[in-house]
C-alpha cells in the first residue's frame, strides 16, 4: 500500500527551528524527520525512521557478511564492570549516572566494551571457539558538554558497535581487517567517500586505531596526508623531532630587559632591535619558546594548572592537547588560576619545574611542565624569565631546563614532515563516519577474560572494537545531500523511492496518479503519494523538494494528453512520460 | 545462507540459572536466548533477538493495518512534561530519575503519554487532521520493587505503545475499537488465547480500560467472569452493595467482654457461646466487621496509617487495595506503626474517625477509616472496641460510625454477583498480554493540546493509549510452550523454521544435511544447521530440544538408504523421509 499524505503523520515547517545551527538539523526538522525533545535528544518521526532503518539494513547486511553475529545489550547497566576498567571515573561528566530504588549505581552506557567482554567470558572457554565478532545496533548515551549540531553530536544516539575476540595478535589483525573491509563496503553502499586515517587510540585504551573520515571542507575534524600515502587525524599525528645537539661550549643564558613584550611578535621585534643575533640572521618566532598555561579538570573534578612550552611560531591545538591530557578536560587557565600561582607572570612566563619556576620568583610552588617534541636537548631559546618585562636569551634545553615530559600539543601545519618519512603533509578537513580500534588485552585483563590456548594454558583474549554512529551517518548524509530547496536523498537511503503528486482540481489527474502509484508499487517501488486535495501545486512541489525523495512524478494538466512529468530531484530535470511508461522511465 | 552452529554465537547451558524463578526465564537463559545483566535487565543473544524481531514484525504489520504510524521517542526525557501531569511524583520509586551535567532533571520513560501529546500539540492544529494514531516499539524503564520472573516483569523492557488522538468521544471510541481489533489479530497470529476483561483505568488517569488476559492456571493475574458475559480483572471488579436499611428502633450498641478473641474465628465462637443471637441463628464471620490496619507510602515518601473495615468473612486483596490507594504503595502496618497509634489495640480494633477511635482510647489521634461497600447504613456489626478483650455488639453503620469513604479492598469470591446483573461470577487466572485505555482529556488538558473544531473553536483533544509488552509476550509464549526437554516454539515466532542436524562421523551424513539445508533455504525456510563435527548425537538432540525450533531434520545412518528423519518438536513424532523429499514433507 502506498503511503498517502492525506493520512501520513507528517507536517513540514516553513521556518528553520530556532535552535538549529547546522543544515542537516534545520532540514531534518523542517521536513518532518525528527523533533527535538531535549538538548541532544530527538524523537524520530515516520520519515526519519524509514531512513534510519535503511542505513541500519545496509550495516546489518555487511556485518552478517563479515561473519559478525547480532546481539542487543541494555542501555541501563550496573556500575561494577565500568568500575573494574576505570571508566566509571574516567568518563567524567560525560557519563549519565543514576541510582535505583535500592541506591545501587547504574549508568547509561556510552559504549559497551565491558559487558561484551563479560558476556564472552561467561560463555566461552577455549581458543577453539574463537575468533568471534559480535555486534549490536543500539541507543547510546553521552552527556556532551555542548550538544549541538543536531544529530551530529547528540546525547542519545544510535550506534552500531562491534567487538572482536581473538587469542593471538594475528587473529586480532584478521578480525580488525574484516571489520575494516565491511566498513569500506558500508560507506560505498551509502555513497559516502572516505579516507582512512590513523587515529588516536588512547581514549579507548587500545594499541592501534583508524578513523574513517568523509573529506569535506565543512568537516569538524582536521586530518593530514602526505603524497607518499600517510594519513592521520591531527590528534594522532606525531611530530618528527630533530636530533639532540651537543651543548658543550654554548654560552650561559642571559636575563635581559624586554619592556612591553607580552606577545611573541613584540618580543621578536625587540630582540632584533636591541639584542641582534651575533651571526646577523634575524630572530624569528621559531627561536622563542612560548609557555602556555592550561587548566586540566581531571575525572575526579580536581583542577590542575600546567605549563606547556611550544615553539613561538606554533599554537596550542585544542583537539591535540585534549587527547594528550585525556581523560582530563583542558581549557585555558583563568584569572583565578593565575592568582593561585603568583610566579606565573603573564606575557613573561618561562619554564617551570616541580620545585617552581626555573627563573624568577623562587617562592612559587611547582607546576608540571611539558615540552613540544621539537624542544630537544641542545636547542637554544628566548623565553620568559617569570619576571615582568624580562626574558632569558640562550636558554639551552637539557642544560638549563628539563620537562616532566613531551607533549603533542602544538598545531600541525602544511609542510610538516610525515612521521613515516613519506614527505610533507597537507591539512584537510573531514567528518568522522566510523572508527575501528585494536583494543588489545586491556579490557580482557581488567575483567579476567581468558581462554585455554592450544597448549591448554590460560591465555588472555585480545579484542577489537568497531563503531559507526547510525544517527550521525544519517545527519552527515543529509548534510552532504541538500540544496536551498531541501533534502536530496541518495536512492540507497531515501525514505521512499518515488514521490507521486497529483495537482489541480481535475479528478483525472488524481485518477492518473492512482494508476501510476499502483503500477510503481507492483514493480516494487516504495511510493509516497501526495493525494491531498485542494492544495496548490506550489505547496506540493515545495513539500516534495523539502522532503527530498529522489524521483518525483507529477500528474497534472498533461494527463489530458496521456502524460505525467518525471522530475529528478537532484538534477532538477523534468521530462514528459506516458502515464503507462513511468515504471520503465524509472528503470524497472 | 544457513546459520551454522560451528560459528553461531550460541552456547547452551546444562544447569538452570541460580536466580531464575520461572520456567521461561530458566529456559531462555539455558537455551542461549538471553543473559541477565542486572536485576530485571537482560541482554539479547542472537536467538532471542530473532524471536523478538518476529513478534515485533507481527505487531508492526497489524499496527500499519489499523492505520497507525510508527515513530520512535527517546528513553531519556526531561522532567517538565511529567511534572505537568503529576506523574514525575506519582510514579514514586518506580521511576528512574537522573540529572545531567547541568543538574537538569531527566527520567527514563516508563510510558510516553506526555511526549506524544506534546508532539501532536506541536504539529497539529485542526480537527481536520484527526483522528491520528501513532505508535512506537521502544525500550522502557520501570524500577520495579521486586524485579523477578525474568522477562515477565523486567526493569528494562520493550513495549509497543500506541496513542490515539480524536476531537470527539465517538472518535475516541472508534480509535479505541481499531486498536482493540488490531490486538485481537495480533494475539491470534501469535497463537495466544485471550479474554478481554474490564480493567482499572485509574493508574493512567483514564475513563475506561480493558486488559487482554491469556487464561492459564499459572497466571499471576486473577479475573472474574459471569455466564452472562461479564469479565473483569479483580482490580476492576465492583462490589454490588446491598440497599441501606432503616435503623430506627434498633437497640443501642453494647460493649461486651470477649477474652481471648483476637481472631474472627475465636470471636464468632465466643459470641455464639456467651452472647447468642436473640433469634437463635448462629453468628457467623459475616456478622463481624474486621478492621485491618494498613500503611500507605505516598509518592512523596510520607507514610500514612489507615484502617479498613471489611466483613469478617473476607480478606484484604493485595492487588485491589493497591489500586484503591494508588499511587500510594500499600503494606500491612508494622509494629512501629502500631506503636505510634496506641489506640490501635491489636485483635480488638474498631472503627476510627478523624478524631480517633469511635470506641476505646479517646486520647488517640485520628486515622482515615475506610469501609467495604457492603457495610451500608443500617447494617449491624460485631466489631472491636479498641480495648483489649472487648468487642461491641450491635454497632450500626451510619448511626454509630461512618467512614472517610468506601473502598474495594476485600477479595472477590466465586458466586459474588456481577455488577452488571449478569449473574454470579467465577474466578480464573490469566497473564496480562495487552492493555487498552481510553485516557480521555486528562493529558491533553494538562499539556494544553487543543485543536480548532468544526465551529472554529478550540477543543481539547481526547486520547487513548494502547500497550503490548513485547519482551513480556515473548516470555509468556516461552512459558506456555515448553516441556521437560526445553522450548517448543510456535512456528509464527520460532527463531528458525527448521533445525537440521548431521550426526555420526560419516561424511555422507554431513553431505546429505548440506543438500537438505540448501534445498530448504531455496524454498524460503530459515534454517539453523548443526554442522558441529565430533559431537555425539545425544548432545545435538538435547540442544535441538532445548532450543525448540518446531521442525528438526536428522541426517544420520539412514542417509545410506537415502532417507533422513523429520522430527516434530511438539508432538515428538519422527518419520523417515527421502533426502530429496524433505521440503515437501515440511509443506513447501
Amino acid at each position: 500500500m502506498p503511503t498517502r499524505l492525506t493520512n501520513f503523520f507528517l507536517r513540514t515547517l516553513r521556518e528553520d527551528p530556532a535552535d538549529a545551527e547546522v543544515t542537516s538539523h534545520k532540514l531534518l526538522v523542517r521536513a518532518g524527520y525528527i523533533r527535538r525533545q531535549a538538548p541532544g535528544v530527538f524523537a524520530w518521526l515516520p520519515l526519519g525512521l524509514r531512513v534510519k532503518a535503511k542505513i541500519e539494513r545496509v550495516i546489518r547486511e555487511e556485518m552478517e557478511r563479515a561473519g559478525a553475529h547480532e546481539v542487543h545489550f541494555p542501555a541501563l547497566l550496573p556500575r561494577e564492570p565500568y568500575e573494574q576498567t576505570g571508566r566509571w571515573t574516567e568518563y567524567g561528566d560525560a557519563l549519565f549516572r543514576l541510582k535505583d530504588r535500592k541506591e545501587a549505581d547504574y549508568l547509561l552506557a556510552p559504549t559497551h566494551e565491558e559487558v561484551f567482554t563479560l558476556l564472552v567470558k561467561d560463555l566461552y572457554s577455549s581458543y577453539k571457539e574463537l575468533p568471534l565478532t559480535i555486534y549490536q545496533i543500539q541507543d547510546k548515551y553521552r552527556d556532551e558538554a555542548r550538544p549541538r549540531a543536531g544529530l551530529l553530536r547528540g546525547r542519545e544516539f544510535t550506534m552500531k558497535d562491534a567487538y572482536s575476540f581473538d587469542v593471538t595478535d594475528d587473529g586480532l589483525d584478521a578480525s580488525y581487517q574484516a571489520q575494516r573491509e565491511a566498513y569500506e563496503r558500508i560507506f560505498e553502499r551509502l555513497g559516502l567517500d572516505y579516507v582512512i586515517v590513523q587515529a588516536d587510540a588512547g581514549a579507548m585504551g587500545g594499541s592501534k586505531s583508524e578513523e574513517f573520515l568523509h573529506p569535506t571542507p565543512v568537516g569538524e575534524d582536521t586530518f593530514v596526508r602526505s603524497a607518499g600515502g600517510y594519513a592521520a587525524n591531527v590528534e594522532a599525528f606525531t611530530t618528527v623531532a630533530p636530533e639532540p645537539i651537543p651543548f658543550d661550549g654554548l654560552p650561559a643564558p642571559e636575563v635581559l630587559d624586554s619592556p612591553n613584550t607580552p606577545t611573541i611578535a613584540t618580543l621578536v621585534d625587540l630582540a632584533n632591535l636591541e639584542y641582534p643575533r651575533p651571526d646577523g640572521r634575524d630572530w624569528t618566532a621559531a627561536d622563542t619558546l612560548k609557555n602556555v598555561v592550561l587548566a586540566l579538570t581531571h575525572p575526579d573534578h580536581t583542577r590542575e594548572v600546567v605549563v606547556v612550552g611550544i615553539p613561538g611560531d606554533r599554537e596550542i591545538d585544542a583537539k591535540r592537547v585534549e587527547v594528550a591530557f585525556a581523560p582530563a578536560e583542558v581549557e585555558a587557565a583563568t584569572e583565578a588560576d593565575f592568582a593561585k600561582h603568583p610566579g606565573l607572570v603573564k606575557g613573561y612566563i618561562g619554564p617551570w619545574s616541580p620545585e617552581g619556576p626555573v627563573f624568577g620568583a623562587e617562592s612559587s610552588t611547582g607546576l608540571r611542565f611539558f615540552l613540544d617534541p621539537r624542544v630537544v636537548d641542545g636547542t637554544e631559546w628566548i623565553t620568559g624569565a617569570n619576571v615582568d618585562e624580562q626574558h632569558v636569551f640562550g636558554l639551552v634545553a637539557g642544560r638549563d631546563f628539563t620537562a616532566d615530559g613531551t607533549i603533542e600539543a602544538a598545531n600541525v601545519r602544511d609542510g610538516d614532515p610525515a612521521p613515516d618519512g613519506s614527505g610533507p603533509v597537507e591539512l584537510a578537513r573531514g567528518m568522522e563516519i566510523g572508527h575501528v580500534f585494536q583494543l588489545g588485552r586491556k579490557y580482557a585483563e581488567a575483567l579476567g577474560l581468558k581462554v585455554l590456548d592450544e597448549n591448554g594454558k590460560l591465555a588472555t583474549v585480545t579484542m577489537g572494537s568497531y563503531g559507526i554512529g547510525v544517527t550521525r551517518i544519517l545527519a552527515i548524509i543529509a548534510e552532504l545531500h541538500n540544496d536551498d530547496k531541501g533534502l536530496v536523498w541518495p536512492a540507497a537511503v531515501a525514505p521512499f523511492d518515488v514521490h507521486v503528486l497529483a495537482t489541480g482540481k481535475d479528478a483525472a489527474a488524481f485518477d492518473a496518479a492512482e494508476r501510476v502509484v499502483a503500477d510503481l508499487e507492483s514493480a516494487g517501488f516504495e511510493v509516497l503519494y501526495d493525494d491531498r486535495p485542494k492544495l496548490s501545486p506550489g505547496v506540493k512541489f515545495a513539500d516534495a523538494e523539502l522532503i527530498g525523495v529522489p524521483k518525483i512524478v507529477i500528474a497534472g494538466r498533461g494527463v489530458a494528453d496521456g502524460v505525467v512529468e518525471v522530475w529528478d530531484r537532484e538534477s532538477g530535470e523534468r521530462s514528459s512520460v506516458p502515464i503507462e511508461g513511468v515504471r520503465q522511465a524509472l528503470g524497472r
Side-chain angles (χ1 to χ4, degrees), chain A:
Chain A
M1 287 208 306
T3 300
R4 291 168 187 272
L5 276 188
T6 39
N7 69 8
F8 192 45
F9 185 53
L10 168 67
R11 291 294 176 274
T12 56
L13 308 178
R14 295 197 184 171
E15 304 292 334
D16 284 336
D19 63 327
E21 293 174 14
V22 297
T23 305
S24 59
H25 187 188
K26 288 175 192 166
L27 288 176
L28 289 170
V29 171
R30 273 186 55 205
Y33 285 71
I34 58 170
R35 296 295 282 177
R36 180 179 173 280
Q37 298 297 304
V41 181
F42 294 87
W44 291 83
L45 307 193
L47 278 182
L49 216 46
R50 291 181 77 102
V51 176
K52 186 161 174 268
K54 292 201 174 176
I55 295 172
E56 290 175 357
R57 194 187 310 154
V58 168
I59 293 174
R60 269 198 184 94
E61 286 171 5
E62 295 303 337
M63 283 296 114
E64 298 293 331
R65 205 203 301 193
H69 304 284
E70 186 170 1
V71 301
H72 192 92
F73 271 84
L76 181 70
L77 289 173
R79 166 180 178 159
E80 289 72 21
Y82 289 78
E83 184 75 45
Q84 282 179 263
T85 59
R87 295 209 293 182
W88 172 263
T89 308
E90 275 168 22
Y91 257 108
D93 287 344
L95 192 65
F96 281 108
R97 298 178 183 83
L98 66 160
K99 286 179 188 292
D100 74 0
R101 62 160 73 211
K102 291 178 176 164
E103 295 291 310
D105 283 318
Y106 284 81
L107 56 86
L108 298 183
T111 173
H112 281 73
E113 278 75 10
E114 283 80 354
V115 286
F116 273 76
T117 306
L118 288 175
L119 177 66
V120 174
K121 177 182 178 183
D122 200 9
L123 296 178
Y124 277 37
S125 57
S126 162
Y127 76 98
K128 290 181 192 166
E129 299 173 293
L130 300 179
L132 168 73
T133 299
I134 43 185
Y135 78 100
Q136 63 178 352
I137 295 180
Q138 193 262 358
D139 289 339
K140 300 207 157 3
Y141 296 85
R142 282 183 204 163
D143 196 359
E144 298 280 351
R146 287 167 293 277
R148 64 201 155 79
L151 300 174
L152 287 173
R153 191 167 296 279
R155 298 199 294 170
E156 175 175 275
F157 53 96
T158 308
M159 259 188 84
K160 185 287 297 177
D161 46 330
Y163 305 86
S164 69
F165 300 86
D166 283 274
V167 181
T168 65
D169 294 348
D170 287 350
L172 171 55
D173 281 341
S175 296
Y176 181 89
Q177 191 60 25
Q179 281 289 311
R180 196 176 187 271
E181 285 166 11
Y183 277 39
E184 297 190 277
R185 291 193 299 269
I186 290 166
F187 297 129
E188 274 155 25
R189 289 179 62 179
L190 296 177
L192 279 171
D193 290 342
Y194 59 87
V195 180
I196 303 177
V197 305
Q198 292 178 29
D200 172 66
M204 300 295 292
S207 51
K208 175 185 174 183
S209 98
E210 290 172 300
E211 245 174 47
F212 285 71
L213 291 177
H214 173 81
T216 164
V218 300
E220 57 184 3
D221 293 316
T222 307
F223 67 100
V224 298
R225 48 184 163 185
S226 74
Y230 174 81
N233 66 19
V234 292
E235 294 93 320
F237 178 85
T238 50
T239 304
V240 178
E243 287 296 308
I245 306 163
F247 45 70
D248 300 344
L250 288 177
E254 239 183 316
V255 176
L256 297 170
D257 286 340
S258 57
N260 295 316
T261 56
T263 65
I264 297 296
T266 51
L267 171 63
V268 171
D269 286 349
L270 176 129
N272 280 323
L273 201 64
E274 302 285 339
Y275 312 111
R277 222 170 178 154
D279 65 7
R281 284 185 301 133
D282 273 353
W283 296 112
T284 71
D287 298 312
T288 68
L289 181 67
K290 174 161 67 178
N291 298 294
V292 183
V293 186
L294 301 172
L296 313 185
T297 305
H298 294 286
D300 64 0
H301 293 99
T302 57
R303 192 175 176 93
E304 177 188 8
V305 170
V306 298
V307 181
V308 176
I310 60 175
D313 59 341
R314 305 245 167 198
E315 304 297 332
I316 292 285
D317 181 292
K319 288 194 171 175
R320 280 165 63 73
V321 79
E322 277 283 356
V323 165
F325 284 117
E329 293 182 4
V330 184
E331 61 181 325
T334 60
E335 291 298 334
D337 292 320
F338 277 98
K340 283 188 190 152
H341 300 281
L344 292 169
V345 181
K346 268 198 184 175
Y348 302 89
I349 295 165
W352 277 55
S353 78
E355 287 76 44
V358 171
F359 281 82
E362 290 184 30
S363 67
S364 288
T365 52
L367 298 173
R368 287 201 294 161
F369 177 61
F370 299 91
L371 280 171
D372 185 87
R374 294 170 191 86
V375 189
V376 293
D377 284 1
T379 50
E380 296 175 80
W381 302 93
I382 304 173
T383 191
N386 288 313
V387 172
D388 200 30
E389 309 213 320
Q390 286 197 343
H391 278 87
V392 195
F393 283 64
L395 196 72
V396 175
R399 183 192 71 182
D400 304 327
F401 67 103
T402 57
D404 293 291
T406 58
I407 188 170
E408 294 281 357
N411 61 337
V412 186
R413 294 193 308 218
D414 282 330
D416 282 346
D420 66 353
S422 64
V425 300
E426 60 170 17
L427 293 167
R429 296 189 74 81
M431 286 180 172
E432 185 190 335
I433 53 178
H435 207 152
V436 289
F437 290 94
Q438 291 201 357
L439 298 174
R441 296 184 169 79
K442 167 179 164 164
Y443 291 90
E445 257 159 25
L447 297 161
L449 169 56
K450 294 170 200 276
V451 295
L452 291 174
D453 69 11
E454 284 179 86
N455 307 313
K457 290 186 178 163
L458 280 173
T460 299
V461 167
T462 181
M463 293 169 52
S465 152
Y466 316 93
I468 290 181
V470 174
T471 42
R472 179 174 160 83
I473 289 280
L474 187 150
I476 288 174
I477 295 173
E479 197 72 31
L480 300 170
H481 296 274
N482 64 71
D483 61 20
D484 60 345
K485 302 290 176 47
L487 293 157
V488 188
W489 292 108
V493 300
F496 293 92
D497 300 318
V498 189
H499 184 142
V500 176
L501 55 86
T503 65
K505 294 173 188 170
D506 191 356
F510 285 82
D511 291 347
E514 292 279 356
R515 291 211 306 280
V516 169
V517 167
D519 189 43
L520 290 175
E521 293 234 312
S522 71
F525 286 99
E526 292 175 5
V527 181
L528 177 66
Y529 175 29
D530 189 348
D531 60 340
R532 293 175 295 177
K534 300 182 202 164
L535 270 187
S536 78
V539 170
K540 290 193 169 192
F541 293 168
D543 272 351
E545 289 179 298
L546 181 58
I547 293 166
V549 173
K551 300 288 182 186
I552 304 164
V553 176
I554 307 164
R557 286 195 197 132
V559 165
D561 304 320
V563 296
V564 294
E565 272 192 292
V566 172
W567 179 10
D568 185 88
R569 173 68 183 92
E570 185 171 10
S571 69
E573 277 174 35
R574 295 198 194 194
S575 52
S576 277
V577 170
I579 294 173
E580 316 304 334
V582 174
R583 181 206 292 209
Q584 288 76 9
L586 295 177
R588 260 182 227 177

